[in-house]
Amino acid sequence: MKLLAIGALILILTPVPFVYAQNTSNPPWFFQGAYLNYTNVLIQNSSVHKIVNVSYKIIEVSGSRFTYMVIPGELTSSNYTVEASLDHLNGFPALNSTQISMLNMGNASFMKIIKLPFTEVNITVKTGVMAYTSEGVVSSDLVVTRVTSKLDRSLYEITYTNYSTYSGVLLNMKIKFGNETKYVSNLVSTNVPLGILTWPQIIAEFFGVILIVIIVVYMLRRYRKARIR
């Protein structure tokens, strides 16, 4: 029983690699015709909200530079194009290869956050998070940005963003002011490979959690028996 528990613990503590190797220095989304379609929900209160569909499509690639079109989902808005590059993404909702590698290692130092007066910004990263999208279950890096007041230390704003571990594409975002959710964005369709988890990987994660519970219960029982003696 001891050997079984120790063996299970070693298996659990060994991280399952969900990072897929890339053949080139360019991220998987960097090709002409790549598109990302999002549904954004702006919430005013519990009964009033606005849904806006926005699409991003790369229409031209030249070296490390590219041009993408933004297609707002409102009839009153017109499409417009944006010039960008792999070094300056200029609003395109994805990461370049260097940023993907950094984020996969839990490093989000490349993210520039504009600080409001009398506020403090703290960024944390959790890697290997399973994100549920319309494309399937995707391994992601979760970035949590907390903005707090320097005056009374209260939470002013918190933003959750999930990026695909493999492609660096933004999967979803949620912004809360205090305890109220004010903005939610979700990727609804794309032709970019996201590195979707296979069922064996999902099952492995599920059984990993079960093994953790078994080990914790076993350790607690051993501890209680030792105290009784």
Side-chain angles (χ1 to χ4, degrees):
M1 186 66 179
K2 288 182 181 180
L3 292 176
L4 178 62
I6 293 172
L9 182 59
I10 293 173
L11 289 174
I12 293 168
L13 294 179
T14 303
V16 179
F18 288 122
V19 181
Y20 300 77
Q22 297 182 26
N23 295 325
T24 68
S25 59
N26 295 331
W29 55 263
F30 189 67
F31 62 91
Q32 186 170 326
Y35 65 83
L36 304 170
N37 298 328
Y38 293 88
T39 293
N40 306 316
V41 182
L42 290 78
I43 304 169
Q44 296 181 13
N45 53 53
S46 58
S47 59
V48 179
H49 63 273
K50 183 178 182 180
I51 298 177
V52 180
N53 297 313
V54 180
S55 298
Y56 303 82
K57 184 176 182 179
I58 297 179
I59 57 177
E60 185 179 353
V61 173
S62 178
S64 64
R65 302 189 64 82
F66 66 101
T67 302
Y68 70 91
M69 179 180 292
V70 181
I71 309 170
E74 296 181 288
L75 296 178
T76 55
S77 302
S78 58
N79 304 344
Y80 60 93
T81 59
V82 180
E83 301 289 335
S85 71
L86 289 176
D87 291 329
H88 302 283
L89 298 174
N90 205 9
F92 192 76
L95 305 175
N96 61 36
S97 295
T98 299
Q99 294 169 339
I100 294 172
S101 297
M102 291 177 66
L103 202 60
N104 287 344
M105 292 186 292
N107 183 353
S109 59
F110 60 87
M111 293 187 172
K112 307 299 181 183
I113 307 297
I114 299 176
K115 293 185 179 181
L116 299 174
F118 306 108
T119 62
E120 183 175 279
V121 178
N122 178 261
I123 301 176
T124 58
V125 180
K126 185 176 182 181
T127 61
V129 176
M130 288 195 296
Y132 298 88
T133 72
S134 59
E135 300 295 312
V137 183
V138 178
S139 176
S140 72
D141 297 324
L142 172 63
V143 182
V144 182
T145 305
R146 290 179 173 83
V147 181
T148 56
S149 170
K150 286 185 177 181
L151 301 178
D152 58 5
R153 311 305 301 173
S154 61
L155 180 64
Y156 174 70
E157 178 185 334
I158 183 167
T159 302
Y160 303 89
T161 49
N162 278 93
Y163 292 91
S164 165
T165 298
Y166 170 61
S167 63
V169 165
L170 176 65
L171 301 174
N172 52 60
M173 173 187 290
K174 180 170 68 174
I175 300 177
K176 298 176 67 175
F177 289 96
N179 294 321
E180 296 184 5
T181 300
K182 292 297 183 182
Y183 175 81
V184 176
S185 178
N186 289 294
L187 179 69
V188 292
S189 63
T190 183
N191 61 347
V192 175
L194 300 178
I196 295 174
L197 298 184
T198 62
W199 273 110
Q201 290 171 326
I202 296 173
I203 293 172
E205 287 280 309
F206 175 75
F207 279 103
V209 173
I210 292 178
L211 285 173
I212 290 175
V213 173
I214 292 174
I215 290 172
V216 170
V217 172
Y218 173 75
M219 294 300 182
L220 286 175
R221 287 181 176 176
R222 288 293 306 273
Y223 174 74
R224 288 174 181 172
K225 288 182 179 179
R227 290 199 62 181
I228 292 174
R229 292 176 183 175

